[in-house]
Structure formats: C-alpha cells, structure tokens
C-alpha cells in the first residue's frame, strides 16, 4: 500500500512539475508511462510466490500480467529511442496509435481474465453454499442424493451400505448447556465423522441431529464392523464445549443398497433400524437382519 502511494505521489509530482514549472510534454509522457509500469510491478512479489495453478483462467491471468509488465517497461524505452525530435511527430504517428492500442488491448485482456476468475470464484462460493449444510458444512440432503447417484453409477464402487445416525439425548445438551453448545457439538461431530470413513464415502447432515453416510465397497457385515468401531471411538472423543466426562453417543441403523433406484427404500430401512437402536437403549448399532 505504502509503495503504491509513493509511486503515485512521485508520478503526480513529476507530471505537475513538467507541466506547470517546466513544460516538457515528452518527459510527461515518459513519466506517466513509467509510473503506470511501476504500479503494475507492485504485485510482482505475490505473483512470484504464488503456487503454480493448473486452472486455465488463473494461467491466463498469470501470463497476461507478465505480458503487461513487459510491454509497460519496454514502451517508454521504445518511445525514447525513436529518431524524432518533436513529440508532436510521435503523437500524430501510426506508431503512437499502435502503442496506445496495444496498451488498451493488454489491459482489457488482463481485466477480462480477472473478471472471469472473480465470477468463477463467486459461482463456486454460491454453489458451495447451496450444496452444504450452513452449520456443519457437510453435504445437505439434495446434494447427498446427487452425489450418491453419481457414485452408484460406477459398479466398481459396489456394494454399498447406507448408515443413518442420530445423536442420543441431544435435546438435553441444548437444555443443560445452551444452543450454542449444541451447535458446536454438531460442528465438531461433522468434522469427526468424515475422518472415520474413507475418502469415497459420503457424509451428510439431513437435519437436526441426524446424519446419513453412504459406505462404498463394503458388505453389510463389514460396514457393521466399521460403524461399531466408530461408536466405540466416539466414547473416547472429548467435545470442547461439553464438560469433562460428559458423554456423547450415537445410535446407528444400517441397510444394504443394491442400486441407485433402491437407495430411498434402503434409507427408510436404515431409519427404522435407527429407531430400533434407540428403543433398545441407544448407543448401539442396528443392522438389517438376514441381508
């Protein structure tokens, strides 16, 4: 910021001096061109330290920036070395018009790249906001179904098991320690759950204290072992907002999924099994029998 102000002040001072004190149009042209080049150079440090990106738009902005810098630095030198004595000869020539046109072209090219990156980033943010649960940042129900459809279109990911999970006695957490504590528990659980499964598995919040997982490449018995391990691991996890020794448990319902068309019915089965686990005493895993 300070460097930009200094360059701007020096440029304005030079333009003032060579227009009011010593009228030199030629020097004013060079000062203005050089000042603009130096302003663009202020971002060089950030461009040099930026990580290389495979994104085409970012590559466009990167290389257009360097083309702008090179042209901005070469332009005053090229104008200065022209074999003319009067500045009016230059400003009326096709060469001068060409340098101005190139400056405008490169600037527009760079600005279009920046605008495209900004629009892309804004759309990505909006898409994430649409796709994610605002409190936990997990997938919401709609996007979970979309991702599940894509995942289940690949037979190599089969078989699948859907898991319904619900926090036990969550209302008591809100009643005893407040809704801020309950929200923090949900956020921490949302960070903990994905760490218990694999990268290809899906984890979503369906609302309230209910979560749904889609496990890929596992039979029902294998999924039962995974979820039982999750249940036991949760006993050892200390939530920051809960008092020491305060336990948080989950009840689980598991059902196998044959294909995308059967996902909805499998989720309903898992939900029924979840409430069987609740009625059986909570903090347990209930799987579909005979599957």
């Amino acid at each position: 910021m300070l460097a930009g102000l200094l360059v701007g002040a020096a440029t304005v001072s030079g333009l003032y001096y060579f227009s009011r004190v010593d009228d030199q149009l030629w020097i004013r042209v060079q000062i203005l061109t050089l000042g603009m080049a130096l302003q663009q150079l202020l971002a060089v440090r950030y461009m040099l330290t930026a990580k290389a990106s495979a994104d085409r738009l970012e590559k466009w902005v990167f290389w257009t920036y360097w083309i702008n810098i090179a042209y901005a630095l070469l332009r005053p030198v090229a104008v200065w070395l022209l074999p003319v004595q009067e500045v009016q000869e230059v400003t009326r020539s096709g060469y001068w018009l060409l340098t101005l046109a190139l400056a405008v072209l490169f600037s527009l090219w760079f600005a279009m790249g920046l605008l495209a990156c900004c629009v892309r980033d804004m759309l990505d943010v909006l898409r994430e906001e649409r796709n994610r649960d605002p409190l936990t940042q997990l997938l919401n129900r709609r996007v979970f179904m979309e991702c599940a459809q894509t995942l289940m279109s690949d037979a190599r990911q089969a078989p699948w098991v859907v898991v319904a999970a619900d926090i036990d006695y969550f209302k008591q957490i809100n009643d005893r320690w407040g809704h801020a504590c309950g929200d923090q528990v949900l956020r921490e659980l949302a960070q903990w759950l994905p760490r218990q499964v694999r990268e290809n598995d899906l984890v979503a919040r369906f609302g309230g204290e209910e979560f749904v997982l889609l496990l890929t490449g596992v039979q029902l018995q294998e999924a039962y072992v995974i979820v039982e391990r999750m249940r036991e691991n949760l006993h050892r996890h200390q939530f920051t907002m809960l008092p020491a020794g305060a336990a948080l448990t989950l009840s689980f319902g598991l059902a196998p999924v044959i294909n995308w068309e059967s996902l909805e019915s499998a989720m309903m089965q898992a939900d029924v099994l979840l409430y069987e686990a609740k009625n059986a005493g909570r903090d347990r895993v209930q799987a579909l029998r005979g599957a």
Side-chain angles (χ1 to χ4, degrees):
M1 176 68 74
L2 179 59
L5 291 174
L6 291 174
V7 171
T11 302
V12 172
S13 299
L15 292 174
Y16 178 83
Y17 180 84
F18 287 104
S19 62
R20 298 295 183 179
V21 180
D22 183 11
D23 189 6
Q24 296 286 343
L25 178 59
W26 185 268
I27 296 178
R28 291 204 304 272
V29 169
Q30 297 295 55
I31 288 175
L32 180 60
T33 306
L34 185 59
M36 293 173 63
L38 291 175
Q39 287 284 1
Q40 294 184 52
L41 277 170
L42 294 175
V44 164
R45 184 181 65 176
Y46 302 100
M47 298 298 287
L48 290 174
T49 57
K51 293 182 179 179
S53 173
D55 184 82
R56 291 183 178 180
L57 280 177
E58 292 183 11
K59 283 185 175 180
W60 176 3
V61 172
F62 181 84
W63 288 111
T64 306
Y65 171 78
W66 288 112
I67 291 172
N68 262 312
I69 290 294
Y71 178 72
L73 291 174
L74 289 174
R75 185 177 170 220
V77 176
V79 173
W80 191 273
L81 294 177
L82 281 176
V84 293
Q85 300 298 321
E86 296 294 333
V87 70
Q88 288 80 4
E89 296 179 40
V90 177
T91 56
R92 288 195 297 264
S93 67
Y95 173 82
W96 179 257
L97 294 176
L98 178 62
T99 61
L100 293 178
L102 287 175
V104 172
L105 177 63
F106 290 144
S107 297
L108 286 175
W109 191 11
F110 182 61
M112 287 174 61
L114 281 179
L115 179 61
C117 282
C118 290
V119 171
R120 188 271 316 273
D121 291 346
M122 182 177 65
L123 290 176
D124 286 345
V125 169
L126 292 174
R127 190 177 298 111
E128 280 297 299
E129 290 179 353
R130 184 198 67 166
N131 294 348
R132 299 281 176 177
D133 171 65
L135 178 63
T136 64
Q137 296 304 303
L138 291 177
L139 300 177
N140 57 33
R141 183 186 183 103
R142 180 181 56 78
V143 179
F144 173 86
M145 299 302 289
E146 291 176 1
C147 293
Q149 184 175 16
T150 302
L151 192 64
M152 299 180 78
S153 65
D154 183 0
R156 293 172 299 179
Q157 302 288 339
W160 304 276
V161 173
V162 66
V163 181
D166 192 88
I167 301 175
D168 297 325
Y169 302 112
F170 183 69
K171 185 176 183 299
Q172 293 183 11
I173 295 175
N174 286 327
D175 291 344
R176 289 181 183 178
W177 299 295
H179 288 279
C181 176
D183 288 347
Q184 182 60 27
V185 165
L186 289 171
R187 280 191 286 264
E188 287 189 40
L189 184 61
Q191 295 172 0
W192 181 85
L193 280 171
R195 295 198 297 266
Q196 308 305 307
V197 295
R198 295 161 300 177
E199 187 177 353
N200 285 344
D201 299 331
L202 300 180
V203 182
R205 181 190 181 204
F206 271 34
E209 59 270 27
E210 184 179 358
F211 299 84
V212 175
L213 297 81
L214 182 65
L215 306 183
T216 61
V218 291
Q219 299 289 347
L220 184 60
Q221 289 303 316
E222 297 172 300
Y224 184 91
V225 173
I226 293 171
V227 176
E228 181 64 27
R229 186 187 68 240
M230 290 171 57
R231 187 188 67 81
E232 294 175 357
N233 288 344
L234 187 60
H235 292 170
R236 297 186 288 272
H237 183 79
Q238 178 61 52
F239 288 83
T240 57
M241 293 289 286
L242 294 180
L248 182 82
T249 62
L250 293 176
S251 296
F252 299 89
L254 282 69
V257 187
I258 300 172
N259 50 37
W260 158 248
E261 287 73 18
S262 66
L263 178 58
E264 284 280 3
S265 60
M267 288 170 58
M268 293 175 64
Q269 288 178 328
D271 203 49
V272 170
L273 292 165
L274 166 65
Y275 283 96
E276 287 184 13
K278 294 274 190 183
N279 294 331
R282 292 178 171 80
D283 186 23
R284 62 186 61 219
V285 181
Q286 192 77 19
L288 186 66
R289 298 181 184 88

PDB file of all heavy atoms in Angstrom, residues 147-161 200 214-219 257-261:
ATOM      1  N   CYS A 147     -24.829 -36.774  -5.357  1.00  0.00           N
ATOM      2  CA  CYS A 147     -23.516 -37.420  -5.290  1.00  0.00           C
ATOM      3  C   CYS A 147     -23.651 -38.930  -5.227  1.00  0.00           C
ATOM      4  O   CYS A 147     -22.858 -39.664  -5.824  1.00  0.00           O
ATOM      5  CB  CYS A 147     -22.735 -36.912  -4.081  1.00  0.00           C
ATOM      6  SG  CYS A 147     -22.241 -35.178  -4.167  1.00  0.00           S
ATOM      7  N   ALA A 148     -24.660 -39.400  -4.507  1.00  0.00           N
ATOM      8  CA  ALA A 148     -24.891 -40.844  -4.410  1.00  0.00           C
ATOM      9  C   ALA A 148     -25.229 -41.427  -5.774  1.00  0.00           C
ATOM     10  O   ALA A 148     -24.756 -42.514  -6.135  1.00  0.00           O
ATOM     11  CB  ALA A 148     -26.010 -41.127  -3.416  1.00  0.00           C
ATOM     12  N   GLN A 149     -26.021 -40.709  -6.552  1.00  0.00           N
ATOM     13  CA  GLN A 149     -26.373 -41.199  -7.889  1.00  0.00           C
ATOM     14  C   GLN A 149     -25.132 -41.321  -8.767  1.00  0.00           C
ATOM     15  O   GLN A 149     -24.955 -42.309  -9.489  1.00  0.00           O
ATOM     16  CB  GLN A 149     -27.398 -40.267  -8.534  1.00  0.00           C
ATOM     17  CG  GLN A 149     -27.880 -40.763  -9.896  1.00  0.00           C
ATOM     18  CD  GLN A 149     -28.985 -39.898 -10.467  1.00  0.00           C
ATOM     19  OE1 GLN A 149     -29.202 -38.772 -10.021  1.00  0.00           O
ATOM     20  NE2 GLN A 149     -29.701 -40.417 -11.449  1.00  0.00           N
ATOM     21  N   THR A 150     -24.259 -40.301  -8.696  1.00  0.00           N
ATOM     22  CA  THR A 150     -23.016 -40.350  -9.469  1.00  0.00           C
ATOM     23  C   THR A 150     -22.131 -41.491  -8.996  1.00  0.00           C
ATOM     24  O   THR A 150     -21.559 -42.243  -9.796  1.00  0.00           O
ATOM     25  CB  THR A 150     -22.257 -39.015  -9.335  1.00  0.00           C
ATOM     26  OG1 THR A 150     -23.090 -37.955  -9.787  1.00  0.00           O
ATOM     27  CG2 THR A 150     -20.975 -39.032 -10.142  1.00  0.00           C
ATOM     28  N   LEU A 151     -22.020 -41.642  -7.679  1.00  0.00           N
ATOM     29  CA  LEU A 151     -21.163 -42.671  -7.102  1.00  0.00           C
ATOM     30  C   LEU A 151     -21.666 -44.066  -7.458  1.00  0.00           C
ATOM     31  O   LEU A 151     -20.880 -44.956  -7.808  1.00  0.00           O
ATOM     32  CB  LEU A 151     -21.136 -42.502  -5.578  1.00  0.00           C
ATOM     33  CG  LEU A 151     -20.089 -43.274  -4.788  1.00  0.00           C
ATOM     34  CD1 LEU A 151     -18.693 -42.822  -5.158  1.00  0.00           C
ATOM     35  CD2 LEU A 151     -20.316 -43.087  -3.299  1.00  0.00           C
ATOM     36  N   MET A 152     -22.970 -44.235  -7.432  1.00  0.00           N
ATOM     37  CA  MET A 152     -23.526 -45.556  -7.660  1.00  0.00           C
ATOM     38  C   MET A 152     -23.663 -45.910  -9.136  1.00  0.00           C
ATOM     39  O   MET A 152     -24.044 -47.035  -9.481  1.00  0.00           O
ATOM     40  CB  MET A 152     -24.881 -45.658  -6.952  1.00  0.00           C
ATOM     41  CG  MET A 152     -24.763 -45.464  -5.444  1.00  0.00           C
ATOM     42  SD  MET A 152     -26.327 -45.580  -4.559  1.00  0.00           S
ATOM     43  CE  MET A 152     -26.531 -47.359  -4.540  1.00  0.00           C
ATOM     44  N   SER A 153     -23.349 -44.949  -9.993  1.00  0.00           N
ATOM     45  CA  SER A 153     -23.307 -45.263 -11.426  1.00  0.00           C
ATOM     46  C   SER A 153     -22.031 -46.023 -11.789  1.00  0.00           C
ATOM     47  O   SER A 153     -21.921 -46.561 -12.888  1.00  0.00           O
ATOM     48  CB  SER A 153     -23.405 -43.980 -12.249  1.00  0.00           C
ATOM     49  OG  SER A 153     -22.272 -43.157 -12.034  1.00  0.00           O
ATOM     50  N   ASP A 154     -21.081 -46.049 -10.862  1.00  0.00           N
ATOM     51  CA  ASP A 154     -19.820 -46.762 -11.071  1.00  0.00           C
ATOM     52  C   ASP A 154     -19.903 -48.100 -10.335  1.00  0.00           C
ATOM     53  O   ASP A 154     -19.833 -48.143  -9.100  1.00  0.00           O
ATOM     54  CB  ASP A 154     -18.652 -45.922 -10.534  1.00  0.00           C
ATOM     55  CG  ASP A 154     -17.301 -46.568 -10.785  1.00  0.00           C
ATOM     56  OD1 ASP A 154     -17.255 -47.670 -11.385  1.00  0.00           O
ATOM     57  OD2 ASP A 154     -16.280 -45.972 -10.382  1.00  0.00           O
ATOM     58  N   ALA A 155     -20.047 -49.186 -11.091  1.00  0.00           N
ATOM     59  CA  ALA A 155     -20.216 -50.511 -10.484  1.00  0.00           C
ATOM     60  C   ALA A 155     -18.992 -50.940  -9.690  1.00  0.00           C
ATOM     61  O   ALA A 155     -19.081 -51.820  -8.825  1.00  0.00           O
ATOM     62  CB  ALA A 155     -20.528 -51.547 -11.566  1.00  0.00           C
ATOM     63  N   ARG A 156     -17.837 -50.327  -9.967  1.00  0.00           N
ATOM     64  CA  ARG A 156     -16.621 -50.692  -9.238  1.00  0.00           C
ATOM     65  C   ARG A 156     -16.699 -50.278  -7.772  1.00  0.00           C
ATOM     66  O   ARG A 156     -15.929 -50.767  -6.944  1.00  0.00           O
ATOM     67  CB  ARG A 156     -15.404 -50.036  -9.888  1.00  0.00           C
ATOM     68  CG  ARG A 156     -15.090 -50.558 -11.296  1.00  0.00           C
ATOM     69  CD  ARG A 156     -14.009 -49.737 -11.950  1.00  0.00           C
ATOM     70  NE  ARG A 156     -14.423 -48.342 -12.104  1.00  0.00           N
ATOM     71  CZ  ARG A 156     -13.652 -47.399 -12.633  1.00  0.00           C
ATOM     72  NH1 ARG A 156     -12.420 -47.691 -13.040  1.00  0.00           N
ATOM     73  NH2 ARG A 156     -14.091 -46.160 -12.760  1.00  0.00           N
ATOM     74  N   GLN A 157     -17.612 -49.337  -7.443  1.00  0.00           N
ATOM     75  CA  GLN A 157     -17.767 -48.883  -6.063  1.00  0.00           C
ATOM     76  C   GLN A 157     -18.700 -49.779  -5.255  1.00  0.00           C
ATOM     77  O   GLN A 157     -18.849 -49.597  -4.050  1.00  0.00           O
ATOM     78  CB  GLN A 157     -18.308 -47.451  -6.052  1.00  0.00           C
ATOM     79  CG  GLN A 157     -17.450 -46.442  -6.786  1.00  0.00           C
ATOM     80  CD  GLN A 157     -16.160 -46.128  -6.044  1.00  0.00           C
ATOM     81  OE1 GLN A 157     -16.059 -46.348  -4.849  1.00  0.00           O
ATOM     82  NE2 GLN A 157     -15.182 -45.607  -6.760  1.00  0.00           N
ATOM     83  N   ALA A 158     -19.362 -50.730  -5.934  1.00  0.00           N
ATOM     84  CA  ALA A 158     -20.317 -51.617  -5.245  1.00  0.00           C
ATOM     85  C   ALA A 158     -19.562 -52.607  -4.352  1.00  0.00           C
ATOM     86  O   ALA A 158     -18.379 -52.893  -4.583  1.00  0.00           O
ATOM     87  CB  ALA A 158     -21.162 -52.353  -6.284  1.00  0.00           C
ATOM     88  N   PRO A 159     -20.247 -53.193  -3.356  1.00  0.00           N
ATOM     89  CA  PRO A 159     -21.604 -52.899  -2.870  1.00  0.00           C
ATOM     90  C   PRO A 159     -21.617 -51.688  -1.942  1.00  0.00           C
ATOM     91  O   PRO A 159     -20.565 -51.197  -1.533  1.00  0.00           O
ATOM     92  CB  PRO A 159     -21.981 -54.180  -2.123  1.00  0.00           C
ATOM     93  CG  PRO A 159     -20.655 -54.693  -1.607  1.00  0.00           C
ATOM     94  CD  PRO A 159     -19.634 -54.332  -2.658  1.00  0.00           C
ATOM     95  N   TRP A 160     -22.827 -51.252  -1.598  1.00  0.00           N
ATOM     96  CA  TRP A 160     -22.976 -50.058  -0.776  1.00  0.00           C
ATOM     97  C   TRP A 160     -23.825 -50.367   0.462  1.00  0.00           C
ATOM     98  O   TRP A 160     -24.675 -51.260   0.436  1.00  0.00           O
ATOM     99  CB  TRP A 160     -23.650 -48.938  -1.568  1.00  0.00           C
ATOM    100  CG  TRP A 160     -22.946 -48.598  -2.842  1.00  0.00           C
ATOM    101  CD1 TRP A 160     -21.876 -47.752  -2.992  1.00  0.00           C
ATOM    102  CD2 TRP A 160     -23.256 -49.070  -4.160  1.00  0.00           C
ATOM    103  NE1 TRP A 160     -21.492 -47.671  -4.321  1.00  0.00           N
ATOM    104  CE2 TRP A 160     -22.324 -48.477  -5.061  1.00  0.00           C
ATOM    105  CE3 TRP A 160     -24.218 -49.947  -4.671  1.00  0.00           C
ATOM    106  CZ2 TRP A 160     -22.340 -48.721  -6.423  1.00  0.00           C
ATOM    107  CZ3 TRP A 160     -24.230 -50.203  -6.035  1.00  0.00           C
ATOM    108  CH2 TRP A 160     -23.303 -49.594  -6.896  1.00  0.00           C
ATOM    109  N   VAL A 161     -23.569 -49.585   1.492  1.00  0.00           N
ATOM    110  CA  VAL A 161     -24.375 -49.665   2.711  1.00  0.00           C
ATOM    111  C   VAL A 161     -24.691 -48.247   3.154  1.00  0.00           C
ATOM    112  O   VAL A 161     -23.805 -47.381   3.195  1.00  0.00           O
ATOM    113  CB  VAL A 161     -23.633 -50.410   3.837  1.00  0.00           C
ATOM    114  CG1 VAL A 161     -24.421 -50.337   5.143  1.00  0.00           C
ATOM    115  CG2 VAL A 161     -23.389 -51.863   3.453  1.00  0.00           C
ATOM    116  N   ASN A 200     -13.964 -41.874  -0.461  1.00  0.00           N
ATOM    117  CA  ASN A 200     -15.072 -42.045  -1.415  1.00  0.00           C
ATOM    118  C   ASN A 200     -16.437 -42.149  -0.739  1.00  0.00           C
ATOM    119  O   ASN A 200     -17.462 -42.089  -1.417  1.00  0.00           O
ATOM    120  CB  ASN A 200     -14.847 -43.289  -2.278  1.00  0.00           C
ATOM    121  CG  ASN A 200     -13.785 -43.065  -3.334  1.00  0.00           C
ATOM    122  OD1 ASN A 200     -13.421 -41.929  -3.620  1.00  0.00           O
ATOM    123  ND2 ASN A 200     -13.265 -44.142  -3.895  1.00  0.00           N
ATOM    124  N   LEU A 214     -23.011 -42.920   3.329  1.00  0.00           N
ATOM    125  CA  LEU A 214     -23.064 -43.960   2.307  1.00  0.00           C
ATOM    126  C   LEU A 214     -21.671 -44.561   2.209  1.00  0.00           C
ATOM    127  O   LEU A 214     -20.729 -43.895   1.775  1.00  0.00           O
ATOM    128  CB  LEU A 214     -23.503 -43.390   0.960  1.00  0.00           C
ATOM    129  CG  LEU A 214     -23.626 -44.428  -0.168  1.00  0.00           C
ATOM    130  CD1 LEU A 214     -24.737 -45.432   0.147  1.00  0.00           C
ATOM    131  CD2 LEU A 214     -23.897 -43.752  -1.514  1.00  0.00           C
ATOM    132  N   LEU A 215     -21.543 -45.812   2.630  1.00  0.00           N
ATOM    133  CA  LEU A 215     -20.258 -46.510   2.602  1.00  0.00           C
ATOM    134  C   LEU A 215     -20.152 -47.297   1.305  1.00  0.00           C
ATOM    135  O   LEU A 215     -21.095 -47.993   0.906  1.00  0.00           O
ATOM    136  CB  LEU A 215     -20.137 -47.443   3.805  1.00  0.00           C
ATOM    137  CG  LEU A 215     -20.348 -46.805   5.192  1.00  0.00           C
ATOM    138  CD1 LEU A 215     -20.128 -47.834   6.290  1.00  0.00           C
ATOM    139  CD2 LEU A 215     -19.447 -45.608   5.378  1.00  0.00           C
ATOM    140  N   THR A 216     -19.009 -47.209   0.655  1.00  0.00           N
ATOM    141  CA  THR A 216     -18.823 -47.855  -0.649  1.00  0.00           C
ATOM    142  C   THR A 216     -17.879 -49.049  -0.530  1.00  0.00           C
ATOM    143  O   THR A 216     -16.978 -49.074   0.309  1.00  0.00           O
ATOM    144  CB  THR A 216     -18.229 -46.858  -1.669  1.00  0.00           C
ATOM    145  OG1 THR A 216     -16.945 -46.421  -1.202  1.00  0.00           O
ATOM    146  CG2 THR A 216     -19.113 -45.651  -1.831  1.00  0.00           C
ATOM    147  N   GLY A 217     -18.118 -50.027  -1.397  1.00  0.00           N
ATOM    148  CA  GLY A 217     -17.216 -51.182  -1.471  1.00  0.00           C
ATOM    149  C   GLY A 217     -17.201 -52.039  -0.229  1.00  0.00           C
ATOM    150  O   GLY A 217     -16.165 -52.641   0.098  1.00  0.00           O
ATOM    151  N   VAL A 218     -18.327 -52.143   0.481  1.00  0.00           N
ATOM    152  CA  VAL A 218     -18.384 -52.951   1.707  1.00  0.00           C
ATOM    153  C   VAL A 218     -19.670 -53.763   1.736  1.00  0.00           C
ATOM    154  O   VAL A 218     -20.723 -53.312   1.290  1.00  0.00           O
ATOM    155  CB  VAL A 218     -18.303 -52.070   2.978  1.00  0.00           C
ATOM    156  CG1 VAL A 218     -16.935 -51.449   3.138  1.00  0.00           C
ATOM    157  CG2 VAL A 218     -19.394 -51.007   2.988  1.00  0.00           C
ATOM    158  N   GLN A 219     -19.559 -54.970   2.267  1.00  0.00           N
ATOM    159  CA  GLN A 219     -20.744 -55.756   2.568  1.00  0.00           C
ATOM    160  C   GLN A 219     -21.326 -55.278   3.891  1.00  0.00           C
ATOM    161  O   GLN A 219     -20.685 -54.541   4.644  1.00  0.00           O
ATOM    162  CB  GLN A 219     -20.380 -57.244   2.658  1.00  0.00           C
ATOM    163  CG  GLN A 219     -19.815 -57.832   1.383  1.00  0.00           C
ATOM    164  CD  GLN A 219     -20.857 -57.976   0.282  1.00  0.00           C
ATOM    165  OE1 GLN A 219     -22.065 -57.858   0.520  1.00  0.00           O
ATOM    166  NE2 GLN A 219     -20.381 -58.241  -0.946  1.00  0.00           N
ATOM    167  N   VAL A 257     -27.562 -51.395   0.138  1.00  0.00           N
ATOM    168  CA  VAL A 257     -28.151 -50.730  -1.033  1.00  0.00           C
ATOM    169  C   VAL A 257     -27.757 -51.521  -2.276  1.00  0.00           C
ATOM    170  O   VAL A 257     -26.561 -51.744  -2.517  1.00  0.00           O
ATOM    171  CB  VAL A 257     -27.660 -49.274  -1.158  1.00  0.00           C
ATOM    172  CG1 VAL A 257     -28.410 -48.561  -2.283  1.00  0.00           C
ATOM    173  CG2 VAL A 257     -27.824 -48.532   0.153  1.00  0.00           C
ATOM    174  N   ILE A 258     -28.723 -51.931  -3.050  1.00  0.00           N
ATOM    175  CA  ILE A 258     -28.445 -52.730  -4.251  1.00  0.00           C
ATOM    176  C   ILE A 258     -28.046 -51.833  -5.414  1.00  0.00           C
ATOM    177  O   ILE A 258     -27.069 -52.087  -6.119  1.00  0.00           O
ATOM    178  CB  ILE A 258     -29.686 -53.571  -4.634  1.00  0.00           C
ATOM    179  CG1 ILE A 258     -30.049 -54.512  -3.479  1.00  0.00           C
ATOM    180  CG2 ILE A 258     -29.431 -54.364  -5.910  1.00  0.00           C
ATOM    181  CD1 ILE A 258     -31.361 -55.247  -3.671  1.00  0.00           C
ATOM    182  N   ASN A 259     -28.782 -50.757  -5.627  1.00  0.00           N
ATOM    183  CA  ASN A 259     -28.501 -49.831  -6.723  1.00  0.00           C
ATOM    184  C   ASN A 259     -29.125 -48.481  -6.386  1.00  0.00           C
ATOM    185  O   ASN A 259     -29.737 -48.305  -5.328  1.00  0.00           O
ATOM    186  CB  ASN A 259     -29.048 -50.380  -8.056  1.00  0.00           C
ATOM    187  CG  ASN A 259     -30.499 -50.821  -7.940  1.00  0.00           C
ATOM    188  OD1 ASN A 259     -31.304 -50.191  -7.239  1.00  0.00           O
ATOM    189  ND2 ASN A 259     -30.840 -51.920  -8.596  1.00  0.00           N
ATOM    190  N   TRP A 260     -28.966 -47.535  -7.308  1.00  0.00           N
ATOM    191  CA  TRP A 260     -29.464 -46.183  -7.068  1.00  0.00           C
ATOM    192  C   TRP A 260     -30.970 -46.179  -6.840  1.00  0.00           C
ATOM    193  O   TRP A 260     -31.485 -45.454  -5.981  1.00  0.00           O
ATOM    194  CB  TRP A 260     -29.094 -45.293  -8.248  1.00  0.00           C
ATOM    195  CG  TRP A 260     -29.932 -44.064  -8.400  1.00  0.00           C
ATOM    196  CD1 TRP A 260     -30.824 -43.784  -9.390  1.00  0.00           C
ATOM    197  CD2 TRP A 260     -29.987 -42.946  -7.507  1.00  0.00           C
ATOM    198  NE1 TRP A 260     -31.420 -42.574  -9.187  1.00  0.00           N
ATOM    199  CE2 TRP A 260     -30.927 -42.033  -8.032  1.00  0.00           C
ATOM    200  CE3 TRP A 260     -29.337 -42.630  -6.311  1.00  0.00           C
ATOM    201  CZ2 TRP A 260     -31.226 -40.829  -7.417  1.00  0.00           C
ATOM    202  CZ3 TRP A 260     -29.625 -41.417  -5.698  1.00  0.00           C
ATOM    203  CH2 TRP A 260     -30.566 -40.539  -6.238  1.00  0.00           C
ATOM    204  N   GLU A 261     -31.694 -46.982  -7.612  1.00  0.00           N
ATOM    205  CA  GLU A 261     -33.153 -46.997  -7.514  1.00  0.00           C
ATOM    206  C   GLU A 261     -33.623 -47.464  -6.131  1.00  0.00           C
ATOM    207  O   GLU A 261     -34.721 -47.106  -5.695  1.00  0.00           O
ATOM    208  CB  GLU A 261     -33.755 -47.896  -8.600  1.00  0.00           C
ATOM    209  CG  GLU A 261     -33.690 -47.321 -10.008  1.00  0.00           C
ATOM    210  CD  GLU A 261     -32.285 -47.341 -10.606  1.00  0.00           C
ATOM    211  OE1 GLU A 261     -31.443 -48.105 -10.078  1.00  0.00           O
ATOM    212  OE2 GLU A 261     -32.030 -46.602 -11.569  1.00  0.00           O
TER     213      GLU A 261
END
